[in-house]
Amino acid sequence: MKIRMVQMNPTPGDLEGNIQQMEEALRQAGTDGISLLIFPEMALPGYPPQDLLEQPAFCEASIRASHEFVSRTGDVTVAFGTIEHAPAGSRRPLCNVVTVAREGTRLATAPKQLLPSYDVFNEERYFEPGTNCHWLDLGGYRIGLTVCEDLWHNENESGAHAYHGDPVAGLVSLNPDLVLNLSASPYTRQKHKLRRTVLTRRARELGAPIVYCNQVGAQAELLFEGDSMVVMPDGTVFQSLLPFETGSETVELARGSDRILGKQADDKNEDELERLFRGLVTGIRDYLTKSRASERLILGLSGGIDSALVAVLAAEAVGPERVTALTLPSGFSSPGSVDDSVLLADALGVTLHELSIEEMYDQAVRSLAPLFGDRPFGVAEENVQSRIRGLLLMAMANKFGDLLLTTGNKSELATGYATLYGDMNGGLNPIGDLYKQDVYALSRWINDVWYGREVIPVSILEKAPSAELRPDQTDQDTLPPYDLLDPVLEAYLERRLDLDEIDSMTTLSRATLSKLLSLVDRNEFKRYQAPPILKVTARAFGMGRRWPLVQGWSHNRERFGPTN
């Protein structure tokens, strides 16, 4: 039996486009003599459809489209993810299902049993869970059917959710020859390692291979890497598809001790930074394509590392000929900032324009002087510069129909070291889930590995980070050094450690720590107004962290929090 996994890139709500991808794969499978063709979870309606599922017209159209696709199947058995009406008497109207069909007939429908409601997921909002394990006999082979979370059970990355039932335990007694898992599992930087561990453990419990078919591509903030594969009980992996690329792979199921016949995976592209780079590029490209926002990108180049990295990602996503950059010096900008921006733009081949904001800034300060009086120069004057830059970038984006990319990193967004309506302007932030040290690491990798030459100037990599909004300013005037700051932020945001626990692992003073954690909590109002951020960690700002916009915990932590 020849089995093919299709690692497809659906778009939520694009029923016509998604079915077109599926029908093309089905036609090719018929030509190639494939017995079983597998698509990802909710491949037909697209994942995640979110509150589209609360629109009856969309739900009915999706279900009709699913039935029409079933009617078009021929001698290739097809397993695909879709939605169906829940059984009568259910609390919710829909089920997230895998449908198996052949020759115009539905052979099986298996509802997803474990519905995640943590991190970015909220499936209990829409779906009725399945209650039974499902399998079918296909050519004398006993094949178990599962959907994404059904295999993860209580091994999810967040560590904050638990289920009572275990679909895999229910399948074990059926003694399956093979188990299918149709998945829409979002990418995070450590997910692929955990995924293989979980799949190997579950295959060992089942005593059978698992065919894992995951979607690929980006849906706004969420990235899906694919990583579709066949995992054997002994941990052997067959036909692992390339991350962040559409495609398909075929294996053969045969009786005997070596049940799967196919090419053993060679762990290609296991470099974490390459996987991250591909994911961010995919996120930008798919955001443009799927939202139909624009075909061109624009960004501000400050001469710093963050905007340099975003410029590289933009050029890779749409081609340098479709990227425009502006360098916007003020009286506080160093000559090197403009020169470094020119070097970067030349190396990438992107268009660069220089617009001085000094005259506009001076006029703004003169206009405000009667109201500011004799108050000293401070944050207000600094932010005027950032907001003038944001004004000019947005004007260019509006005039030429470009999408403005924001260039702030996670360290800055976490501590509020960013200006609303200034450097936070834009339609998408590609690096808002990367800490400052991650930005440096990925930038060095880009030079050393991806290009094998100096594209991001060494002068940018080596200069002290600075917003250049006042004389001789550096980030460390306001924040601790990033090699001390980033571990604190990671501990607080990703691992959810609190003040006492973090205090034991850093050389920063307790007073500094308390101030930093309060900065993170108090600046939620800025992040609430930020553009979408591509999610690459388990706790990204936006969909991944739902912090109260108004809350008083930060002020009470020392009094009521845990103590040593």
Side-chain angles (χ1 to χ4, degrees), residues 323-349:
V323 178
T324 299
L326 268 61
T327 181
L328 302 159
S330 73
F332 301 115
S333 300
S334 65
S337 294
V338 175
D339 294 343
D340 289 342
S341 297
V342 171
L343 287 173
L344 174 68
D346 287 345
L348 286 174

Side-chain angles (χ1 to χ4, degrees), residues 161-226:
H161 197 75
Y163 303 99
H164 297 298
D166 183 359
V168 168
L171 282 173
V172 169
S173 61
L174 299 175
N175 192 28
D177 296 301
L178 187 75
V179 172
L180 308 185
N181 185 254
L182 281 62
S183 191
S185 176
Y187 163 81
T188 66
R189 293 183 64 179
Q190 299 300 320
K191 179 71 75 67
H192 66 284
K193 297 176 183 177
L194 176 60
R195 181 182 293 124
R196 290 199 178 190
T197 299
V198 170
L199 290 173
T200 299
R201 184 178 299 122
R202 303 307 254 170
R204 187 181 304 118
E205 292 172 17
L206 289 160
I210 294 174
V211 179
Y212 172 82
C213 186
N214 192 26
Q215 82 172 38
V216 74
Q219 317 293 5
E221 293 143 283
L222 296 185
L223 308 178
F224 296 84
E225 65 194 308

